[in-house]
Amino acid sequence: MFPTEEELDNYIIKLAHMAGKHISVAYPILDAILPGGHRVAATFQKEISTKGSTFTIRKFREDPITIVDMIDFGTVSSEMAAYFWLLMDYKMTTLILGTTGAGKTSTLNALATLLRPTYKIVTVEDTPEIRLPQENWVQLFTRPSYLATGGPGEIDLFQLIKVALRYRPDVIIVGEVRGEEAYVLFQSIATGHSGITTIHAEHIDAAVKRLTSPPMNIPPSYIPLINVAMVIKRVTKLDESGRPRPARRITTVWEVEDYGKYIEVCKWDPLRDRFELSLSNSLTLKRISELTGKTLSELIDEISRRKLVLEWLTANRIRSYKEIAKYIYRYYVNPKELLDSIKVKP
């Protein structure tokens, strides 16, 4: 509790100093990162907020939500997770949609953990939230201007993605696209890099409209560079006692055939709280088949094996992203040996 406005004002100033920033009557808005990596936004006195100073601190988990957590929470099914694992294995470009607070970044982090340890990964973010177990990983994040009004010294996403390309990455991960940096990202994907990113939208049609409109200005011919798009939503479910509680579900997964042509491969059934995955017409599996020479049925069998591993991890409460990475890596090296060691028969 803050008994007086003066105490609250002093606290806001203290937060600004901790973040190495300035807030005052002249510059009444603060958007900064605290020493622990947490994001703080604040306003000062009654300059732009009627009830006086305000602040919010967005805290980030040191131990991020993993794919095992998502299975355990019911956000995805084990079969969907195994399908995503195969996508990450073959560097399929992925777009994650959702509203504010839906869980886009957590989903992105969980999927990126499934990438091969041999891939070179560069992440580009406004605030460093992503936590990956891979060693060959470069984490870049934006920097505001030295001046409170903006200008000199500012490093934005657009500049960082251009820098990221010089690192010759296998996969570029962008925390969120919302401006001209999207064009650079899609140019990099067009030249052979893989990309994973998030965007504020509730449907793929809305996402594509945002991408092809200013300030992103992605040409419609570039939209097929996205292999898979998924939307995560906050929904309300009844708990065991019949009370409503919030939950998150990946409600739809699309594969992109062309601009305006999207194949729905997975749909969440809200009545039964079940996921219906249909891979018989999967374009992505056909692309992987062309890359590897494996048949569609062989790839579906591969998804089934990976599903068994993920179900074993979930059943044994192995949920830390570093612990999961050990099993993911072991599977990449020798899948049969891992399946034998955990006594799971494919």
Side-chain angles (χ1 to χ4, degrees), residues 53-107:
S53 296
T54 64
F55 73 96
T56 181
I57 297 174
R58 184 178 173 189
K59 297 187 73 176
F60 301 122
R61 294 170 56 126
E62 282 297 318
D63 186 20
I65 291 171
T66 61
I67 197 71
V68 169
D69 290 325
M70 293 178 72
I71 294 169
D72 197 33
F73 298 157
T75 305
V76 297
S77 67
S78 55
E79 189 179 14
M80 277 176 70
Y83 166 68
F84 294 150
W85 184 0
L86 194 71
L87 298 182
M88 295 302 105
D89 190 356
Y90 291 99
K91 299 188 292 186
M92 293 293 146
T93 301
T94 305
L95 185 64
I96 302 166
L97 324 177
T99 56
T100 303
K104 298 186 299 297
T105 305
S106 296
T107 303

Side-chain angles (χ1 to χ4, degrees), residues 33-294:
I33 302 170
L34 294 171
H38 309 306
R39 191 76 176 262
V40 60
T43 64
F44 191 66
Q45 296 186 355
K46 295 184 179 179
E47 299 302 312
I48 56 171
S49 48
T50 54
K51 294 183 179 180
S53 296
T54 64
F55 73 96
T56 181
I57 297 174
R58 184 178 173 189
K59 297 187 73 176
F60 301 122
R61 294 170 56 126
E62 282 297 318
D63 186 20
I65 291 171
T66 61
I67 197 71
V68 169
D69 290 325
M70 293 178 72
I71 294 169
D72 197 33
F73 298 157
T75 305
V76 297
S77 67
S78 55
E79 189 179 14
M80 277 176 70
Y83 166 68
F84 294 150
W85 184 0
L86 194 71
L87 298 182
M88 295 302 105
D89 190 356
Y90 291 99
K91 299 188 292 186
M92 293 293 146
T93 301
T94 305
L95 185 64
I96 302 166
L97 324 177
T99 56
T100 303
K104 298 186 299 297
T105 305
S106 296
T107 303
L108 184 151
N109 201 118
L111 296 184
T113 305
L114 302 172
L115 289 163
R116 280 184 177 267
T118 53
Y119 291 159
K120 183 165 188 177
I121 303 167
V122 180
T123 59
V124 177
E125 306 167 84
D126 272 327
T127 307
E129 297 178 62
I130 295 172
R131 298 282 185 275
L132 299 180
Q134 288 90 340
E135 291 184 2
N136 200 359
W137 164 42
V138 176
Q139 186 176 31
L140 306 175
F141 56 92
T142 59
R143 185 184 72 181
S145 168
Y146 295 124
L147 303 178
T149 52
E154 182 177 3
I155 307 295
D156 59 16
L157 290 173
F158 181 79
Q159 293 169 281
L160 288 180
I161 294 175
K162 289 200 292 184
V163 169
L165 289 173
R166 298 192 179 101
Y167 282 73
R168 297 178 66 190
D170 292 301
V171 183
I172 298 177
I173 299 173
V174 181
E176 181 188 340
V177 289
R178 55 180 175 269
E180 59 182 355
E181 71 278 354
Y183 187 80
V184 183
L185 177 63
F186 272 76
Q187 288 281 6
S188 69
I189 295 168
T191 56
H193 301 88
S194 173
I196 310 172
T197 189
T198 73
I199 188 171
H200 278 274
E202 284 200 273
H203 194 275
I204 191 167
D205 289 326
V208 169
K209 284 175 183 174
R210 280 200 66 197
L211 287 168
T212 53
S213 304
M216 299 189 206
N217 297 314
I218 305 299
S221 59
Y222 276 22
I223 297 302
L225 295 173
I226 303 168
N227 299 124
V228 177
M230 65 188 77
V231 60
I232 183 167
K233 293 183 179 180
R234 286 183 291 181
V235 299
T236 302
K237 297 298 300 173
L238 298 178
D239 63 15
E240 294 172 354
S241 60
R243 292 178 300 181
R245 64 175 182 84
R248 287 172 171 81
R249 297 289 184 271
I250 293 181
T251 57
T252 316
V253 180
W254 299 273
E255 292 183 349
V256 180
E257 182 177 357
D258 203 346
Y259 177 74
K261 293 181 181 179
Y262 317 113
I263 299 169
E264 188 179 282
V265 294
C266 186
K267 185 77 175 176
W268 175 63
D269 180 354
L271 291 176
R272 296 182 295 168
D273 192 16
R274 290 178 57 185
F275 298 92
E276 297 169 1
L277 184 64
S278 175
L279 298 177
S280 55
N281 296 319
S282 171
L283 286 175
T284 308
L285 292 189
K286 288 176 183 174
R287 288 176 181 139
I288 294 172
S289 175
E290 290 169 2
L291 284 171
T292 62
K294 295 179 180 178

